[in-house]
């Protein structure tokens, strides 16, 4: 059905509407062959707490943003190429139900639907788009994905030293390699994680030691073959950021357009 929607006026109007809702803060979304498959509100597990986010599923990308005015205005647009996405279903855990992980090389996070049916619909449509993309491109699924960050609320003490208690003055940091919540002294190192950034990122001391050891072994092999110099990773600290805003709207049932008859 996606192929039938490609050149339809209805699809063009939908994409134009999404663009207008993001306004000048968003990127242009209309490109030849792109189809808006579905849209709806999901609860995204952010660093500090779960927050509602508007999601748009296209046949090649997943887009989400903060809700400013329901169905009218969104900001902080994020675009995720579906070829890089891997989904993983989550078991229900207390108040967190109907969830799954969205994993990519640069960022991974959990989202939750309002019902089990919505979860199944979202996952089925996303996986179908990924399958079609990989089949058409001939590419293989991405194997390495960024760690899912442990929410701040789940760590009252440092997950590395098991001693430092977080307070208003002693802040939490996240290891970009394993996602653990750690204190400043236990995450004072940086390491280059090419899948996530071109600059070295904050990592916990355990991950720094493990990554450094792996890098040394890798460089030994390179030097043996190419006589290239060994480079050591940088070491310092940085500040975590959480630019997520509090949404101002409630959940709506998702809409998927694949079963509709396209307009000519």
């Amino acid at each position: 059905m996606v192929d039938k929607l490609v050149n339809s006026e209805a699809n063009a109007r939908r994409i134009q509407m999404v663009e207008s809702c993001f306004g000048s803060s968003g990127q242009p979304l209309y490109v030849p062959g792109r189809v808006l498959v579905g849209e709806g509100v999901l609860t995204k597990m952010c660093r500090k707490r779960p927050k509602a986010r508007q999601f748009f599923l296209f046949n090649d990308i997943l887009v989400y943003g903060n809700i400013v005015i329901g169905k009218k205005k969104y900001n902080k647009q994020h675009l995720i190429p579906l070829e890089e996405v891997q989904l993983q279903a989550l078991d229900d855990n207390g108040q967190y139900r109907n969830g799954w992980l969205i994993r990519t090389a640069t960022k991974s996070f959990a989202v939750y639907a309002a019902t089990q049916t919505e979860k199944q619909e979202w996952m089925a449509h996303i996986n179908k788009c990924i399958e079609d993309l990989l089949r058409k491109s001939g590419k293989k699924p991405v194997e390495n994905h960024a760690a899912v960050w442990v929410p701040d609320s789940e760590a009252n003490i440092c997950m590395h030293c098991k001693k430092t208690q977080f307070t208003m003055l002693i802040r939490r940091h996240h290891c970009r390699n394993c996602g653990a919540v750690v204190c400043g002294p236990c995450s004072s190192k940086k390491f280059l994680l090419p899948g996530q950034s071109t600059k070295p990122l904050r990592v916990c001391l355990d991950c720094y030691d493990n990554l450094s050891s792996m890098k040394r072994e890798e460089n030994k092999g390179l030097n043996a073959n190419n006589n290239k110099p060994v480079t050591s990773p940088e070491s310092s600290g940085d500040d975590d950021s959480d630019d997520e805003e509090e949404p101002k709207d409630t959940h709506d049932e998702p809409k998927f357009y694949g079963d509709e008859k396209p307009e000519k």
Side-chain angles (χ1 to χ4, degrees):
M1 293 302 297
V2 168
D3 291 337
K4 295 180 180 180
L5 289 171
V6 169
N7 297 316
S8 71
E9 293 182 5
N11 177 64
R13 286 198 304 269
R14 288 170 186 147
I15 295 179
Q16 184 180 23
M17 181 63 70
V18 176
E19 287 185 349
S20 65
C21 287
F22 277 103
S24 59
S25 66
Q27 298 183 37
L29 296 173
Y30 183 81
V31 297
R34 179 168 290 168
V35 172
L36 178 59
V37 178
E39 61 182 275
V41 176
L42 295 171
T43 299
K44 177 178 177 289
M45 180 61 75
C46 299
R47 174 182 171 178
K48 294 184 178 180
R49 56 188 176 277
K51 298 177 182 178
R53 295 289 181 257
Q54 180 73 29
F55 280 77
F56 299 93
L57 173 62
F58 295 84
N59 59 335
D60 62 335
I61 59 173
L62 183 65
V63 177
Y64 70 92
N66 293 10
I67 302 169
V68 180
I69 303 174
K71 300 182 181 180
K72 292 183 179 180
K73 186 177 181 181
Y74 315 111
N75 64 9
K76 298 190 181 297
Q77 184 191 73
H78 298 264
L79 276 68
I80 304 175
L82 285 180
E83 289 181 345
E84 302 176 5
V85 171
Q86 180 189 69
L87 304 185
Q88 179 184 332
L90 294 173
D91 295 332
D92 291 344
N93 182 16
Q95 63 176 318
Y96 301 120
R97 305 175 64 83
N98 311 314
W100 68 96
L101 297 179
I102 297 178
R103 295 183 178 273
T104 76
T106 57
K107 186 175 184 178
S108 301
F109 53 90
V111 293
Y112 298 87
T115 67
Q116 181 67 20
T117 298
E118 289 185 14
K119 171 184 176 177
Q120 294 172 350
E121 289 180 342
W122 272 106
M123 292 190 69
H125 281 88
I126 295 173
N127 279 325
K128 182 63 168 60
C129 290
I130 295 172
E131 179 185 330
D132 291 344
L133 271 176
L134 294 176
R135 186 183 69 252
K136 292 176 181 178
S137 67
K139 296 180 181 179
K140 295 183 178 180
V142 175
E143 295 183 355
N144 297 318
H145 300 92
V148 178
W149 284 17
V150 175
D152 285 2
S153 60
E154 295 185 14
N156 293 321
I157 62 171
C158 174
M159 298 175 70
H160 181 266
C161 67
K162 311 292 186 183
K163 297 178 181 179
T164 302
Q165 185 169 4
F166 298 117
T167 65
M168 292 292 291
L169 298 178
I170 303 177
R171 62 171 299 186
R172 296 168 173 82
H173 300 279
H174 279 86
C175 172
R176 268 50 172 192
N177 186 63
C178 71
V181 181
V182 289
C183 63
C186 289
S187 59
S188 60
K189 303 286 189 178
K190 283 186 176 181
F191 200 93
L192 183 62
L193 303 173
Q196 298 187 44
S197 176
T198 57
K199 298 180 179 180
L201 301 174
R202 178 189 291 270
V203 295
C204 68
L205 298 182
D206 282 344
C207 284
Y208 181 82
D209 290 342
N210 292 334
L211 292 167
S212 296
S213 177
M214 293 170 59
K215 186 66 175 179
R216 285 193 294 268
E217 293 300 318
E218 178 184 326
N219 282 332
K220 285 181 182 178
L222 289 174
N223 288 338
N225 295 326
N226 303 319
N227 196 31
K228 291 183 179 180
V230 176
T231 57
S232 59
E234 294 185 25
S235 172
S236 64
D238 69 342
D239 288 331
D240 293 332
S241 63
D242 184 6
D243 60 357
E244 307 283 358
E245 296 179 354
E246 189 67 32
K248 301 178 181 179
D249 211 78
T250 56
H251 174 81
D252 286 319
E253 291 187 5
K255 295 180 180 178
F256 295 102
Y257 304 111
D259 296 330
E260 293 183 355
K261 288 186 176 180
E263 297 180 11
K264 297 181 179 179

